[in-house]
Amino acid sequence: MEATVTTANSEKTWGGGNEPMGASYGKLMMWFFIVSDALTFSGFLAAYGFSRFKFIETWPLADEVFTHFPFLHGVSAPMYYVALMTFILIFSSVTMVLAVDAGHQMKKDKVALYMFLTIIGGLIFVGSQAWEWKNFIKGEYGAVETTGGSLLQFVDKEGHRVALADFAAKLPVEREQLSRDKAKWFMSESAIPTYTVAEVQAGFKAHPDVLVRIETLNKDKEKIVLSREESLVRLDQAKIVIEGANLTHNEYGSKLFADFFFFITGFHGFHVFSGIVINIIIFFNVLLGTYEKRGSYEMVEKVGLYWHFVDLVWVFVFTFFYLV
């Protein structure tokens, strides 16, 4: 009795045989990860967009929040540094393309050079993001929150922002931060602000040229400035002085803006940092000739897919947070 011999079907599955879609297993898995991660970011940005337009009248204006530029203290440069950060990250995507192309040509030195430039671009971006976080958390002008949760900012008669330090009075009041070792175990408070509510109120009364601006926008998309009489009435309802932004208070406007900013830009920053670490590993493998011996720089191409995805996500984050 003759044995039955089964021959393998030479017909290619999905045009790729054992490489569906003509992609290797590694690249296909990277594409799966990118698609799933894209859905995650889409959910975050959709939630941000919903909140943004639900509270559109009290949402902070990006031109007033992101005005800092390194080594230009006191100079208002709205969105300039964010635009520079974006350009650097996009340029790093270009150097990654050049690294992949050099890998196809089996040019080890060029792959190493362009990978190094990509890593430098990523480090600059992450460092810039950390610097931006620092300024966002620290704040510049300060504000006051009322008992009803409304935010009161301060401007001069021309509508320009005025910092608390420019008018707040100095009263002989000693303050001590409440901590668990000085009270019951469940009682504590965050860092105390530079000025008390009483000092802000006293300084405001002594400076008749200072007015209160509320967080609500008018039909011209400008925050409403109250009259002197209305300002005094609203300031009497002050509950707490706010400096900067955190997860519970935000001197720039809606608290949700700060929550989304920390979460989404932090999540993206983690992706960029992870990409930098992976790029560094691949870079040293290139220097050691690992891929030269394999006869393929496909690993550079796979990490390149991830890096391009991170850059593309930032374009959407930049659009949602800074432009819309």
Side-chain angles (χ1 to χ4, degrees):
M1 183 176 179
E2 295 183 0
T4 302
V5 179
T6 302
T7 58
N9 187 1
S10 60
E11 184 178 344
K12 292 184 177 181
T13 305
W14 299 344
N18 65 340
E19 297 183 352
M21 309 301 291
S24 67
Y25 177 81
K27 283 198 285 187
L28 193 62
M29 292 303 103
M30 178 59 76
W31 276 113
F32 283 160
F33 168 77
I34 287 174
V35 170
S36 63
D37 215 26
L39 293 174
T40 303
F41 272 106
S42 298
F44 293 158
L45 292 175
Y48 172 84
F50 175 81
S51 300
R52 165 75 170 82
F53 288 101
K54 180 177 176 61
F55 303 103
I56 191 169
E57 292 184 349
T58 60
W59 209 253
L61 301 175
D63 287 346
E64 294 185 355
V65 178
F66 307 103
T67 60
H68 302 85
F69 202 95
F71 310 112
L72 295 178
H73 181 70
V75 177
S76 180
M79 308 296 292
Y80 288 9
Y81 195 59
V82 179
L84 179 61
M85 287 168 50
T86 303
F87 172 78
I88 291 172
L89 191 63
I90 292 176
F91 187 77
S92 72
S93 196
V94 174
T95 56
M96 179 59 81
V97 169
L98 295 174
V100 172
D101 182 65
H104 290 160
Q105 301 177 41
M106 300 300 292
K107 295 180 179 179
K108 173 184 171 182
D109 293 339
K110 284 191 174 182
V111 174
L113 172 63
Y114 292 128
M115 285 291 294
F116 178 75
L117 293 176
T118 301
I119 293 169
I120 294 299
L123 288 172
I124 293 174
F125 178 83
V126 171
S128 299
Q129 209 168 34
W131 182 84
E132 186 182 52
W133 268 45
K134 185 264 295 181
N135 288 295
F136 185 73
I137 294 171
K138 180 181 178 182
E140 183 177 2
Y141 295 101
V144 168
E145 186 176 310
T146 67
T147 53
S150 299
L151 190 71
L152 307 181
Q153 299 171 335
F154 300 94
V155 297
D156 58 23
K157 292 183 177 180
E158 284 73 36
H160 302 132
R161 289 291 302 274
V162 176
L164 298 180
D166 295 334
F167 69 89
K170 289 289 186 180
L171 300 179
V173 178
E174 292 187 6
R175 293 178 296 158
E176 187 176 10
Q177 183 177 350
L178 182 63
S179 58
R180 292 184 179 181
D181 61 333
K182 300 171 185 175
K184 296 180 180 179
W185 66 271
F186 56 84
M187 296 178 64
S188 63
E189 63 178 351
S190 57
I192 56 178
T194 307
Y195 305 98
T196 65
V197 171
E199 289 175 328
V200 173
Q201 291 172 335
F204 183 84
K205 292 175 181 178
H207 291 76
D209 56 332
V210 179
L211 301 173
V212 164
R213 186 180 75 171
I214 60 177
E215 56 185 335
T216 306
L217 300 176
N218 58 23
K219 60 181 180 180
D220 297 323
K221 295 185 178 181
E222 296 177 349
K223 295 190 176 182
I224 299 174
V225 178
L226 304 179
S227 66
R228 181 68 182 179
E229 293 73 21
E230 292 174 323
S231 298
L232 289 169
V233 172
R234 293 298 294 273
L235 194 57
D236 285 338
Q237 304 170 8
K239 175 185 177 182
I240 185 175
V241 176
I242 302 172
E243 293 175 313
N246 50 49
L247 296 177
T248 55
H249 300 288
N250 179 12
E251 76 163 50
Y252 309 101
S254 174
K255 303 177 184 67
L256 277 176
F257 177 84
D259 296 341
F260 278 114
F261 177 80
F262 288 127
F263 187 78
I264 295 180
T265 62
F267 192 57
H268 177 265
F270 172 76
H271 278 70
V272 177
F273 178 76
S274 301
I276 292 171
V277 173
I278 297 171
N279 280 338
I280 290 175
I281 296 173
I282 303 301
F283 171 71
F284 280 110
N285 281 336
V286 171
L287 294 180
L288 293 173
T290 302
Y291 309 122
E292 194 81 16
K293 295 172 185 176
R294 293 181 185 176
S296 171
Y297 281 87
E298 184 180 316
M299 188 61 72
V300 177
E301 188 173 353
K302 285 187 284 189
V303 76
L305 290 173
Y306 175 79
W307 195 255
H308 297 321
F309 166 72
V310 168
D311 290 3
L312 180 61
V313 168
W314 177 252
V315 172
F316 285 96
V317 174
F318 175 76
T319 302
F320 273 63
F321 269 100
Y322 303 98
L323 297 183
V324 175

